[in-house]
């Protein structure tokens, strides 16, 4: 099964672009740059959309403008319009339970307290989509999470996250073509 839609979760606007919560946007921006795609605002999809060709597959890139907690509306609208099934979607998002410098690919599962995933599962009526979980680390105390994700990582964390995004870009062709097992094997051992 090929991936037809790659979504980066984040919050729109300059005030948020450097925050940990926006690593999904960072990944989509890197993909657009690598595959010469240009994002355009699409009001009917409640976000910015680009189309790229990865390994011979036409793939939509989406950065929702609905803010994290409303991500599902944007994802559901483009998926419905282009008749893309949940299992043809890859969602890149920040992951508290993984340290900076590490990314994991996962299929299906819960939302783990991530509001963007929670809203997406609700809007799609399914949790059977792929996730690129980009590690941002955990502040150590649950009460500090909201503040933590809405701040810029420190210099060493940014470097680690950027290296992880580069590693993730290196396996995206395999993921898009449906060879997720080998992509996971490569990514999870770097």
């Amino acid at each position: 099964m090929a991936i037809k839609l790659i979504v980066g979760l984040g919050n729109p606007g300059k005030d948020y672009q450097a925050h940990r919560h926006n690593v999904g946007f960072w990944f989509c921006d890197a993909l657009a740059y690598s595959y010469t795609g240009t994002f355009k605002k699409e009001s009917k999809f409640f976000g910015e959309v680009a189309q790229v060709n990865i390994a011979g597959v036409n793939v939509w890139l989406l950065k929702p403008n609905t803010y994290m907690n409303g991500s599902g509306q944007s994802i559901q609208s483009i998926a419905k319009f282009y008749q893309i099934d949940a299992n043809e979607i890859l969602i890149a998002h920040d992951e508290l339970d993984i340290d900076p410098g590490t990314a994991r690919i996962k299929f299906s599962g819960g939302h783990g307290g991530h509001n963007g995933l929670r809203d997406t599962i609700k809007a799609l009526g399914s949790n059977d989509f792929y996730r690129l979980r980009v590690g941002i680390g955990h502040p150590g105390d649950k009460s500090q999470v909201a503040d933590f994700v809405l701040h810029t990582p420190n210099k060493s964390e940014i470097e680690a996250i950027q290296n992880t995004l580069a590693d993730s870009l290196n396996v995206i062709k395999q993921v898009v073509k449906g060879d997720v097992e080998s992509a996971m094997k490569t990514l999870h051992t770097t």
Side-chain angles (χ1 to χ4, degrees):
M1 180 69 64
I3 297 293
K4 296 179 182 172
L5 172 63
I6 298 175
V7 181
L9 295 185
N11 288 311
K14 290 204 183 320
D15 292 348
Y16 297 99
Q17 65 188 18
H19 292 175
R20 291 178 178 94
H21 226 12
N22 274 38
V23 297
F25 277 16
W26 302 358
F27 181 69
C28 272
D29 286 336
L31 271 176
Y33 179 80
S34 298
Y35 291 95
T36 62
T38 305
F39 279 100
K40 294 179 181 71
K41 278 195 183 340
E42 282 284 354
S43 57
K44 69 180 171 190
F45 300 138
F46 309 96
E48 294 180 36
V49 177
Q51 191 173 31
V52 294
N53 189 292
I54 301 173
V57 179
N58 284 325
V59 179
W60 290 102
L61 305 179
L62 172 68
K63 296 189 299 182
N65 282 340
T66 50
Y67 291 92
M68 187 63 81
N69 296 359
S71 301
Q73 177 188 25
S74 177
I75 297 166
Q76 193 268 345
S77 66
I78 193 170
K80 186 175 179 185
F81 188 86
Y82 290 113
Q83 298 180 331
I84 298 169
D85 293 331
N87 64 357
E88 298 171 315
I89 299 172
L90 172 70
I91 296 182
H93 65 89
D94 57 307
E95 178 60 64
L96 289 161
D97 296 332
I98 300 175
D99 290 330
T102 305
R104 295 284 179 257
I105 298 169
K106 177 181 176 182
F107 180 72
S108 196
H111 54 71
H114 193 293
N115 290 334
L117 291 178
R118 179 185 283 123
D119 195 61
T120 299
I121 291 167
K122 184 178 167 193
L124 293 177
S126 173
N127 61 357
D128 289 337
F129 49 84
Y130 289 91
R131 301 110 189 270
L132 174 65
R133 304 162 67 217
V134 180
I136 61 167
H138 197 286
D141 187 323
K142 194 176 177 184
S143 67
Q144 297 173 340
V145 166
D147 189 53
F148 180 77
V149 298
L150 295 177
H151 276 86
T152 304
N154 67 39
K155 194 174 178 186
S156 66
E157 290 172 338
I158 288 174
E159 202 171 289
I161 291 167
Q162 286 174 335
N163 289 339
T164 298
L165 295 177
D167 291 342
S168 301
L169 283 174
N170 287 335
V171 299
I172 199 65
K173 287 181 181 176
Q174 293 162 292
V175 174
V176 165
K177 289 192 294 189
D179 192 4
V180 178
E181 291 297 319
S182 66
M184 288 167 80
K185 193 173 177 185
T186 302
L187 186 63
H188 297 183
T189 54
T190 51

